[in-house]
Amino acid sequence: MAKLRRARITPGWHERAACKGADHWIFCNDEAALRNGEPRPPYDEEKAKSYCSGCPVRTVCLEEALRMRDLFMVRGGLNADELRAEYLTRQRRAAS
Ligand code: SF4
């Protein structure tokens, strides 16, 4: 697998996250709950991205999401589709 750009991910960065204490589900467009017959989690991309827009650790969050392949929710200001596109772009760039 192609190497992704390394980011400095320092321990404890989550403590400075703008979304700390926010409802996790607004970030997560997870269909698992629906499959289990539960109500749709309150995914709210616009609200989630509003947290990200002013987040002091946005870059670190994005780099960690890409590195860990955590591409299933809003991270670093990108939704799941945008994260996957960014991941693939970087992979192609690294392979060329
Ligand atoms: S960039 Fe967004 S998802 Fe990541 S820590 Fe900040 S507010 Fe949370």
mmCIF file of all heavy atoms in Angstrom, residues 35-83:
data_model
loop_
_atom_site.group_PDB
_atom_site.id
_atom_site.type_symbol
_atom_site.label_atom_id
_atom_site.label_comp_id
_atom_site.label_asym_id
_atom_site.label_seq_id
_atom_site.Cartn_x
_atom_site.Cartn_y
_atom_site.Cartn_z
ATOM 1 N N ARG A 35 -30.455 -0.998 10.592
ATOM 2 C CA ARG A 35 -30.498 -2.445 10.380
ATOM 3 C C ARG A 35 -30.966 -3.167 11.636
ATOM 4 O O ARG A 35 -31.548 -4.240 11.554
ATOM 5 C CB ARG A 35 -29.117 -2.962 9.952
ATOM 6 C CG ARG A 35 -28.742 -2.577 8.529
ATOM 7 C CD ARG A 35 -27.558 -3.376 8.026
ATOM 8 N NE ARG A 35 -26.348 -3.124 8.791
ATOM 9 C CZ ARG A 35 -25.500 -2.118 8.535
ATOM 10 N NH1 ARG A 35 -25.734 -1.304 7.537
ATOM 11 N NH2 ARG A 35 -24.433 -1.949 9.273
ATOM 12 N N ASN A 36 -30.705 -2.589 12.780
ATOM 13 C CA ASN A 36 -31.115 -3.196 14.051
ATOM 14 C C ASN A 36 -32.517 -2.756 14.461
ATOM 15 O O ASN A 36 -32.956 -3.039 15.570
ATOM 16 C CB ASN A 36 -30.112 -2.829 15.157
ATOM 17 C CG ASN A 36 -28.756 -3.461 14.906
ATOM 18 O OD1 ASN A 36 -28.660 -4.500 14.263
ATOM 19 N ND2 ASN A 36 -27.715 -2.820 15.397
ATOM 20 N N GLY A 37 -33.201 -2.047 13.565
ATOM 21 C CA GLY A 37 -34.565 -1.631 13.858
ATOM 22 C C GLY A 37 -34.667 -0.430 14.775
ATOM 23 O O GLY A 37 -35.740 -0.123 15.294
ATOM 24 N N GLU A 38 -33.543 0.245 15.003
ATOM 25 C CA GLU A 38 -33.545 1.420 15.873
ATOM 26 C C GLU A 38 -33.788 2.678 15.045
ATOM 27 O O GLU A 38 -33.630 2.658 13.824
ATOM 28 C CB GLU A 38 -32.202 1.526 16.601
ATOM 29 C CG GLU A 38 -31.918 0.335 17.493
ATOM 30 C CD GLU A 38 -30.459 0.250 17.916
ATOM 31 O OE1 GLU A 38 -29.762 1.279 17.859
ATOM 32 O OE2 GLU A 38 -30.028 -0.843 18.280
ATOM 33 N N PRO A 39 -34.152 3.775 15.683
ATOM 34 C CA PRO A 39 -34.348 5.014 14.923
ATOM 35 C C PRO A 39 -33.054 5.473 14.277
ATOM 36 O O PRO A 39 -31.964 5.179 14.772
ATOM 37 C CB PRO A 39 -34.803 6.021 15.972
ATOM 38 C CG PRO A 39 -34.951 5.294 17.241
ATOM 39 C CD PRO A 39 -34.378 3.928 17.098
ATOM 40 N N ARG A 40 -33.186 6.177 13.175
ATOM 41 C CA ARG A 40 -31.996 6.713 12.500
ATOM 42 C C ARG A 40 -31.257 7.669 13.439
ATOM 43 O O ARG A 40 -31.867 8.580 13.996
ATOM 44 C CB ARG A 40 -32.416 7.470 11.240
ATOM 45 C CG ARG A 40 -31.247 8.146 10.511
ATOM 46 C CD ARG A 40 -31.731 8.899 9.294
ATOM 47 N NE ARG A 40 -32.187 8.002 8.245
ATOM 48 C CZ ARG A 40 -31.378 7.373 7.396
ATOM 49 N NH1 ARG A 40 -30.078 7.545 7.475
ATOM 50 N NH2 ARG A 40 -31.859 6.581 6.474
ATOM 51 N N PRO A 41 -29.951 7.453 13.600
ATOM 52 C CA PRO A 41 -29.187 8.404 14.421
ATOM 53 C C PRO A 41 -29.269 9.796 13.814
ATOM 54 O O PRO A 41 -29.407 9.943 12.595
ATOM 55 C CB PRO A 41 -27.759 7.858 14.343
ATOM 56 C CG PRO A 41 -27.909 6.420 13.961
ATOM 57 C CD PRO A 41 -29.136 6.363 13.089
ATOM 58 N N PRO A 42 -29.180 10.812 14.624
ATOM 59 C CA PRO A 42 -29.397 12.181 14.131
ATOM 60 C C PRO A 42 -28.194 12.755 13.385
ATOM 61 O O PRO A 42 -27.609 13.741 13.815
ATOM 62 C CB PRO A 42 -29.673 12.955 15.417
ATOM 63 C CG PRO A 42 -28.908 12.215 16.464
ATOM 64 C CD PRO A 42 -28.959 10.769 16.071
ATOM 65 N N TYR A 43 -27.807 12.113 12.261
ATOM 66 C CA TYR A 43 -26.707 12.627 11.449
ATOM 67 C C TYR A 43 -27.067 14.019 10.951
ATOM 68 O O TYR A 43 -28.159 14.234 10.431
ATOM 69 C CB TYR A 43 -26.476 11.694 10.267
ATOM 70 C CG TYR A 43 -25.395 12.142 9.307
ATOM 71 C CD1 TYR A 43 -24.076 12.233 9.710
ATOM 72 C CD2 TYR A 43 -25.705 12.456 7.988
ATOM 73 C CE1 TYR A 43 -23.076 12.623 8.829
ATOM 74 C CE2 TYR A 43 -24.711 12.844 7.099
ATOM 75 C CZ TYR A 43 -23.407 12.928 7.519
ATOM 76 O OH TYR A 43 -22.427 13.315 6.650
ATOM 77 N N ASP A 44 -26.165 14.959 11.140
ATOM 78 C CA ASP A 44 -26.393 16.330 10.710
ATOM 79 C C ASP A 44 -25.071 16.876 10.183
ATOM 80 O O ASP A 44 -24.280 17.460 10.928
ATOM 81 C CB ASP A 44 -26.912 17.166 11.881
ATOM 82 C CG ASP A 44 -27.340 18.569 11.465
ATOM 83 O OD1 ASP A 44 -26.853 19.059 10.425
ATOM 84 O OD2 ASP A 44 -28.147 19.175 12.198
ATOM 85 N N GLU A 45 -24.839 16.656 8.903
ATOM 86 C CA GLU A 45 -23.554 17.008 8.306
ATOM 87 C C GLU A 45 -23.239 18.500 8.438
ATOM 88 O O GLU A 45 -22.116 18.881 8.761
ATOM 89 C CB GLU A 45 -23.535 16.603 6.833
ATOM 90 C CG GLU A 45 -22.198 16.899 6.170
ATOM 91 C CD GLU A 45 -22.149 16.410 4.741
ATOM 92 O OE1 GLU A 45 -22.707 15.331 4.456
ATOM 93 O OE2 GLU A 45 -21.553 17.103 3.912
ATOM 94 N N GLU A 46 -24.242 19.308 8.216
ATOM 95 C CA GLU A 46 -24.005 20.757 8.280
ATOM 96 C C GLU A 46 -23.556 21.175 9.683
ATOM 97 O O GLU A 46 -22.604 21.947 9.853
ATOM 98 C CB GLU A 46 -25.279 21.498 7.876
ATOM 99 C CG GLU A 46 -25.082 22.991 7.752
ATOM 100 C CD GLU A 46 -26.357 23.697 7.275
ATOM 101 O OE1 GLU A 46 -27.285 23.020 6.797
ATOM 102 O OE2 GLU A 46 -26.415 24.919 7.415
ATOM 103 N N LYS A 47 -24.231 20.644 10.678
ATOM 104 C CA LYS A 47 -23.881 20.987 12.059
ATOM 105 C C LYS A 47 -22.507 20.420 12.410
ATOM 106 O O LYS A 47 -21.695 21.093 13.059
ATOM 107 C CB LYS A 47 -24.940 20.439 13.015
ATOM 108 C CG LYS A 47 -24.788 20.920 14.436
ATOM 109 C CD LYS A 47 -26.001 20.510 15.255
ATOM 110 C CE LYS A 47 -25.880 21.023 16.676
ATOM 111 N NZ LYS A 47 -27.030 20.605 17.489
ATOM 112 N N ALA A 48 -22.248 19.182 11.980
ATOM 113 C CA ALA A 48 -20.943 18.567 12.260
ATOM 114 C C ALA A 48 -19.825 19.402 11.642
ATOM 115 O O ALA A 48 -18.807 19.691 12.293
ATOM 116 C CB ALA A 48 -20.917 17.146 11.715
ATOM 117 N N LYS A 49 -20.006 19.792 10.392
ATOM 118 C CA LYS A 49 -18.971 20.579 9.715
ATOM 119 C C LYS A 49 -18.812 21.964 10.341
ATOM 120 O O LYS A 49 -17.742 22.560 10.244
ATOM 121 C CB LYS A 49 -19.277 20.694 8.222
ATOM 122 C CG LYS A 49 -18.977 19.406 7.460
ATOM 123 C CD LYS A 49 -19.185 19.584 5.973
ATOM 124 C CE LYS A 49 -18.698 18.380 5.185
ATOM 125 N NZ LYS A 49 -18.867 18.549 3.742
ATOM 126 N N SER A 50 -19.857 22.452 10.969
ATOM 127 C CA SER A 50 -19.722 23.755 11.635
ATOM 128 C C SER A 50 -18.784 23.642 12.835
ATOM 129 O O SER A 50 -18.052 24.579 13.152
ATOM 130 C CB SER A 50 -21.085 24.309 12.041
ATOM 131 O OG SER A 50 -21.592 23.650 13.167
ATOM 132 N N TYR A 51 -18.793 22.498 13.512
ATOM 133 C CA TYR A 51 -17.807 22.266 14.571
ATOM 134 C C TYR A 51 -16.403 22.256 13.970
ATOM 135 O O TYR A 51 -15.480 22.864 14.480
ATOM 136 C CB TYR A 51 -18.054 20.925 15.272
ATOM 137 C CG TYR A 51 -19.129 20.929 16.308
ATOM 138 C CD1 TYR A 51 -20.388 20.415 16.024
ATOM 139 C CD2 TYR A 51 -18.888 21.403 17.594
ATOM 140 C CE1 TYR A 51 -21.390 20.390 16.979
ATOM 141 C CE2 TYR A 51 -19.880 21.388 18.566
ATOM 142 C CZ TYR A 51 -21.132 20.876 18.246
ATOM 143 O OH TYR A 51 -22.119 20.861 19.198
ATOM 144 N N CYS A 52 -16.257 21.519 12.884
ATOM 145 C CA CYS A 52 -14.938 21.357 12.262
ATOM 146 C C CYS A 52 -14.373 22.695 11.767
ATOM 147 O O CYS A 52 -13.151 22.906 11.829
ATOM 148 C CB CYS A 52 -15.013 20.394 11.086
ATOM 149 S SG CYS A 52 -15.560 18.728 11.500
ATOM 150 N N SER A 53 -15.236 23.555 11.280
ATOM 151 C CA SER A 53 -14.744 24.789 10.651
ATOM 152 C C SER A 53 -13.951 25.655 11.619
ATOM 153 O O SER A 53 -13.043 26.362 11.203
ATOM 154 C CB SER A 53 -15.896 25.575 10.035
ATOM 155 O OG SER A 53 -16.716 26.094 11.045
ATOM 156 N N GLY A 54 -14.258 25.584 12.895
ATOM 157 C CA GLY A 54 -13.518 26.383 13.863
ATOM 158 C C GLY A 54 -12.647 25.555 14.782
ATOM 159 O O GLY A 54 -12.240 26.029 15.835
ATOM 160 N N CYS A 55 -12.369 24.342 14.382
ATOM 161 C CA CYS A 55 -11.658 23.418 15.271
ATOM 162 C C CYS A 55 -10.141 23.632 15.206
ATOM 163 O O CYS A 55 -9.561 23.594 14.123
ATOM 164 C CB CYS A 55 -12.000 21.981 14.889
ATOM 165 S SG CYS A 55 -11.209 20.778 15.967
ATOM 166 N N PRO A 56 -9.491 23.795 16.351
ATOM 167 C CA PRO A 56 -8.043 24.033 16.350
ATOM 168 C C PRO A 56 -7.219 22.798 15.994
ATOM 169 O O PRO A 56 -6.023 22.924 15.754
ATOM 170 C CB PRO A 56 -7.763 24.483 17.789
ATOM 171 C CG PRO A 56 -8.857 23.893 18.603
ATOM 172 C CD PRO A 56 -10.063 23.851 17.703
ATOM 173 N N VAL A 57 -7.841 21.628 15.991
ATOM 174 C CA VAL A 57 -7.091 20.405 15.668
ATOM 175 C C VAL A 57 -7.620 19.746 14.384
ATOM 176 O O VAL A 57 -7.462 18.550 14.176
ATOM 177 C CB VAL A 57 -7.123 19.408 16.846
ATOM 178 C CG1 VAL A 57 -6.293 19.936 18.008
ATOM 179 C CG2 VAL A 57 -8.545 19.111 17.287
ATOM 180 N N ARG A 58 -8.194 20.561 13.537
ATOM 181 C CA ARG A 58 -8.809 20.032 12.319
ATOM 182 C C ARG A 58 -7.826 19.257 11.446
ATOM 183 O O ARG A 58 -8.130 18.158 10.966
ATOM 184 C CB ARG A 58 -9.409 21.193 11.524
ATOM 185 C CG ARG A 58 -10.092 20.774 10.250
ATOM 186 C CD ARG A 58 -10.735 21.957 9.582
ATOM 187 N NE ARG A 58 -11.307 21.597 8.306
ATOM 188 C CZ ARG A 58 -12.082 22.380 7.585
ATOM 189 N NH1 ARG A 58 -12.398 23.581 8.043
ATOM 190 N NH2 ARG A 58 -12.557 21.976 6.437
ATOM 191 N N THR A 59 -6.638 19.805 11.251
ATOM 192 C CA THR A 59 -5.662 19.145 10.390
ATOM 193 C C THR A 59 -5.226 17.808 10.973
ATOM 194 O O THR A 59 -5.148 16.799 10.257
ATOM 195 C CB THR A 59 -4.426 20.048 10.181
ATOM 196 O OG1 THR A 59 -4.864 21.287 9.626
ATOM 197 C CG2 THR A 59 -3.426 19.405 9.253
ATOM 198 N N VAL A 60 -4.980 17.788 12.253
ATOM 199 C CA VAL A 60 -4.569 16.538 12.908
ATOM 200 C C VAL A 60 -5.681 15.507 12.806
ATOM 201 O O VAL A 60 -5.446 14.324 12.537
ATOM 202 C CB VAL A 60 -4.200 16.798 14.379
ATOM 203 C CG1 VAL A 60 -3.861 15.495 15.084
ATOM 204 C CG2 VAL A 60 -3.031 17.751 14.468
ATOM 205 N N CYS A 61 -6.902 15.947 13.029
ATOM 206 C CA CYS A 61 -8.057 15.054 12.946
ATOM 207 C C CYS A 61 -8.172 14.449 11.552
ATOM 208 O O CYS A 61 -8.360 13.237 11.396
ATOM 209 C CB CYS A 61 -9.321 15.830 13.297
ATOM 210 S SG CYS A 61 -10.830 14.873 13.175
ATOM 211 N N LEU A 62 -8.019 15.283 10.546
ATOM 212 C CA LEU A 62 -8.102 14.802 9.166
ATOM 213 C C LEU A 62 -6.989 13.805 8.865
ATOM 214 O O LEU A 62 -7.239 12.736 8.297
ATOM 215 C CB LEU A 62 -8.030 15.988 8.190
ATOM 216 C CG LEU A 62 -7.994 15.634 6.712
ATOM 217 C CD1 LEU A 62 -9.239 14.864 6.299
ATOM 218 C CD2 LEU A 62 -7.830 16.893 5.869
ATOM 219 N N GLU A 63 -5.772 14.147 9.264
ATOM 220 C CA GLU A 63 -4.650 13.253 8.983
ATOM 221 C C GLU A 63 -4.810 11.920 9.699
ATOM 222 O O GLU A 63 -4.504 10.869 9.129
ATOM 223 C CB GLU A 63 -3.329 13.921 9.376
ATOM 224 C CG GLU A 63 -2.996 15.161 8.566
ATOM 225 C CD GLU A 63 -2.915 14.891 7.066
ATOM 226 O OE1 GLU A 63 -2.455 13.801 6.674
ATOM 227 O OE2 GLU A 63 -3.335 15.759 6.288
ATOM 228 N N GLU A 64 -5.305 11.956 10.915
ATOM 229 C CA GLU A 64 -5.515 10.701 11.635
ATOM 230 C C GLU A 64 -6.597 9.860 10.966
ATOM 231 O O GLU A 64 -6.460 8.643 10.827
ATOM 232 C CB GLU A 64 -5.891 10.945 13.097
ATOM 233 C CG GLU A 64 -6.036 9.623 13.835
ATOM 234 C CD GLU A 64 -6.541 9.785 15.243
ATOM 235 O OE1 GLU A 64 -7.773 9.834 15.432
ATOM 236 O OE2 GLU A 64 -5.703 9.853 16.139
ATOM 237 N N ALA A 65 -7.678 10.503 10.552
ATOM 238 C CA ALA A 65 -8.752 9.775 9.879
ATOM 239 C C ALA A 65 -8.227 9.070 8.631
ATOM 240 O O ALA A 65 -8.538 7.906 8.376
ATOM 241 C CB ALA A 65 -9.885 10.733 9.512
ATOM 242 N N LEU A 66 -7.397 9.772 7.859
ATOM 243 C CA LEU A 66 -6.859 9.190 6.632
ATOM 244 C C LEU A 66 -5.869 8.080 6.961
ATOM 245 O O LEU A 66 -5.867 7.028 6.317
ATOM 246 C CB LEU A 66 -6.199 10.273 5.783
ATOM 247 C CG LEU A 66 -7.155 11.344 5.244
ATOM 248 C CD1 LEU A 66 -6.369 12.496 4.636
ATOM 249 C CD2 LEU A 66 -8.127 10.764 4.234
ATOM 250 N N ARG A 67 -5.040 8.311 7.940
ATOM 251 C CA ARG A 67 -4.049 7.306 8.304
ATOM 252 C C ARG A 67 -4.702 6.049 8.856
ATOM 253 O O ARG A 67 -4.298 4.926 8.560
ATOM 254 C CB ARG A 67 -3.065 7.863 9.336
ATOM 255 C CG ARG A 67 -1.932 6.890 9.605
ATOM 256 C CD ARG A 67 -1.014 7.343 10.694
ATOM 257 N NE ARG A 67 -0.342 8.576 10.374
ATOM 258 C CZ ARG A 67 0.506 9.184 11.185
ATOM 259 N NH1 ARG A 67 0.773 8.672 12.357
ATOM 260 N NH2 ARG A 67 1.090 10.298 10.826
ATOM 261 N N MET A 68 -5.733 6.236 9.689
ATOM 262 C CA MET A 68 -6.399 5.089 10.320
ATOM 263 C C MET A 68 -7.512 4.515 9.444
ATOM 264 O O MET A 68 -8.184 3.570 9.837
ATOM 265 C CB MET A 68 -6.992 5.514 11.669
ATOM 266 C CG MET A 68 -5.990 6.117 12.640
ATOM 267 S SD MET A 68 -4.694 4.977 13.117
ATOM 268 C CE MET A 68 -5.594 3.878 14.181
ATOM 269 N N ARG A 69 -7.707 5.121 8.289
ATOM 270 C CA ARG A 69 -8.799 4.735 7.380
ATOM 271 C C ARG A 69 -10.152 4.796 8.095
ATOM 272 O O ARG A 69 -11.018 3.943 7.894
ATOM 273 C CB ARG A 69 -8.560 3.353 6.789
ATOM 274 C CG ARG A 69 -7.432 3.352 5.806
ATOM 275 C CD ARG A 69 -7.368 2.075 5.045
ATOM 276 N NE ARG A 69 -6.031 1.539 5.103
ATOM 277 C CZ ARG A 69 -5.677 0.342 4.688
ATOM 278 N NH1 ARG A 69 -6.576 -0.459 4.188
ATOM 279 N NH2 ARG A 69 -4.458 -0.062 4.761
ATOM 280 N N ASP A 70 -10.305 5.810 8.903
ATOM 281 C CA ASP A 70 -11.579 6.062 9.578
ATOM 282 C C ASP A 70 -12.355 7.009 8.667
ATOM 283 O O ASP A 70 -12.373 8.218 8.859
ATOM 284 C CB ASP A 70 -11.309 6.686 10.950
ATOM 285 C CG ASP A 70 -12.595 6.943 11.718
ATOM 286 O OD1 ASP A 70 -13.658 6.452 11.293
ATOM 287 O OD2 ASP A 70 -12.531 7.653 12.736
ATOM 288 N N LEU A 71 -12.963 6.422 7.649
ATOM 289 C CA LEU A 71 -13.535 7.208 6.553
ATOM 290 C C LEU A 71 -15.055 7.104 6.520
ATOM 291 O O LEU A 71 -15.663 7.149 5.459
ATOM 292 C CB LEU A 71 -12.941 6.720 5.214
ATOM 293 C CG LEU A 71 -11.413 6.568 5.176
ATOM 294 C CD1 LEU A 71 -10.973 5.932 3.868
ATOM 295 C CD2 LEU A 71 -10.729 7.902 5.387
ATOM 296 N N PHE A 72 -15.660 6.960 7.670
ATOM 297 C CA PHE A 72 -17.080 6.641 7.706
ATOM 298 C C PHE A 72 -17.931 7.707 8.395
ATOM 299 O O PHE A 72 -19.111 7.491 8.639
ATOM 300 C CB PHE A 72 -17.283 5.289 8.402
ATOM 301 C CG PHE A 72 -16.412 4.222 7.823
ATOM 302 C CD1 PHE A 72 -15.242 3.840 8.460
ATOM 303 C CD2 PHE A 72 -16.722 3.631 6.609
ATOM 304 C CE1 PHE A 72 -14.420 2.866 7.922
ATOM 305 C CE2 PHE A 72 -15.907 2.666 6.055
ATOM 306 C CZ PHE A 72 -14.752 2.288 6.705
ATOM 307 N N MET A 73 -17.321 8.826 8.717
ATOM 308 C CA MET A 73 -18.058 9.883 9.400
ATOM 309 C C MET A 73 -17.378 11.215 9.113
ATOM 310 O O MET A 73 -16.341 11.242 8.472
ATOM 311 C CB MET A 73 -18.085 9.614 10.907
ATOM 312 C CG MET A 73 -16.716 9.503 11.535
ATOM 313 S SD MET A 73 -16.742 8.858 13.216
ATOM 314 C CE MET A 73 -17.589 10.167 14.072
ATOM 315 N N VAL A 74 -17.987 12.290 9.544
ATOM 316 C CA VAL A 74 -17.356 13.605 9.361
ATOM 317 C C VAL A 74 -16.109 13.670 10.232
ATOM 318 O O VAL A 74 -16.182 13.460 11.442
ATOM 319 C CB VAL A 74 -18.327 14.747 9.714
ATOM 320 C CG1 VAL A 74 -17.599 16.090 9.663
ATOM 321 C CG2 VAL A 74 -19.532 14.754 8.773
ATOM 322 N N ARG A 75 -14.978 13.916 9.571
ATOM 323 C CA ARG A 75 -13.692 14.092 10.269
ATOM 324 C C ARG A 75 -12.932 15.200 9.561
ATOM 325 O O ARG A 75 -12.880 15.236 8.332
ATOM 326 C CB ARG A 75 -12.843 12.815 10.217
ATOM 327 C CG ARG A 75 -13.375 11.609 10.979
ATOM 328 C CD ARG A 75 -13.165 11.676 12.471
ATOM 329 N NE ARG A 75 -11.818 11.976 12.891
ATOM 330 C CZ ARG A 75 -10.896 11.052 13.191
ATOM 331 N NH1 ARG A 75 -11.166 9.781 13.107
ATOM 332 N NH2 ARG A 75 -9.692 11.448 13.606
ATOM 333 N N GLY A 76 -12.349 16.086 10.313
ATOM 334 C CA GLY A 76 -11.514 17.118 9.720
ATOM 335 C C GLY A 76 -12.236 17.993 8.712
ATOM 336 O O GLY A 76 -11.628 18.550 7.807
ATOM 337 N N GLY A 77 -13.532 18.114 8.852
ATOM 338 C CA GLY A 77 -14.309 18.965 7.961
ATOM 339 C C GLY A 77 -14.775 18.291 6.676
ATOM 340 O O GLY A 77 -15.378 18.939 5.827
ATOM 341 N N LEU A 78 -14.486 16.996 6.530
ATOM 342 C CA LEU A 78 -14.910 16.274 5.332
ATOM 343 C C LEU A 78 -15.914 15.188 5.707
ATOM 344 O O LEU A 78 -15.767 14.537 6.754
ATOM 345 C CB LEU A 78 -13.710 15.620 4.641
ATOM 346 C CG LEU A 78 -12.565 16.532 4.205
ATOM 347 C CD1 LEU A 78 -11.485 15.710 3.517
ATOM 348 C CD2 LEU A 78 -13.060 17.646 3.294
ATOM 349 N N ASN A 79 -16.903 14.979 4.847
ATOM 350 C CA ASN A 79 -17.830 13.874 5.091
ATOM 351 C C ASN A 79 -17.213 12.571 4.570
ATOM 352 O O ASN A 79 -16.103 12.563 4.023
ATOM 353 C CB ASN A 79 -19.208 14.157 4.479
ATOM 354 C CG ASN A 79 -19.197 14.182 2.959
ATOM 355 O OD1 ASN A 79 -18.339 13.561 2.317
ATOM 356 N ND2 ASN A 79 -20.126 14.906 2.359
ATOM 357 N N ALA A 80 -17.926 11.480 4.733
ATOM 358 C CA ALA A 80 -17.368 10.171 4.394
ATOM 359 C C ALA A 80 -16.962 10.092 2.916
ATOM 360 O O ALA A 80 -15.883 9.586 2.593
ATOM 361 C CB ALA A 80 -18.379 9.077 4.738
ATOM 362 N N ASP A 81 -17.794 10.591 2.027
ATOM 363 C CA ASP A 81 -17.463 10.548 0.594
ATOM 364 C C ASP A 81 -16.230 11.396 0.302
ATOM 365 O O ASP A 81 -15.358 10.996 -0.478
ATOM 366 C CB ASP A 81 -18.645 11.056 -0.247
ATOM 367 C CG ASP A 81 -19.808 10.077 -0.261
ATOM 368 O OD1 ASP A 81 -19.599 8.882 0.048
ATOM 369 O OD2 ASP A 81 -20.937 10.518 -0.555
ATOM 370 N N GLU A 82 -16.165 12.553 0.916
ATOM 371 C CA GLU A 82 -15.014 13.446 0.703
ATOM 372 C C GLU A 82 -13.732 12.846 1.284
ATOM 373 O O GLU A 82 -12.645 12.994 0.712
ATOM 374 C CB GLU A 82 -15.311 14.816 1.314
ATOM 375 C CG GLU A 82 -16.438 15.544 0.602
ATOM 376 C CD GLU A 82 -17.052 16.677 1.397
ATOM 377 O OE1 GLU A 82 -16.873 16.731 2.646
ATOM 378 O OE2 GLU A 82 -17.736 17.510 0.783
ATOM 379 N N LEU A 83 -13.867 12.184 2.422
ATOM 380 C CA LEU A 83 -12.691 11.524 3.018
ATOM 381 C C LEU A 83 -12.173 10.423 2.110
ATOM 382 O O LEU A 83 -10.963 10.299 1.886
ATOM 383 C CB LEU A 83 -13.054 10.931 4.381
ATOM 384 C CG LEU A 83 -13.170 11.898 5.547
ATOM 385 C CD1 LEU A 83 -13.776 11.190 6.756
ATOM 386 C CD2 LEU A 83 -11.815 12.492 5.908
#
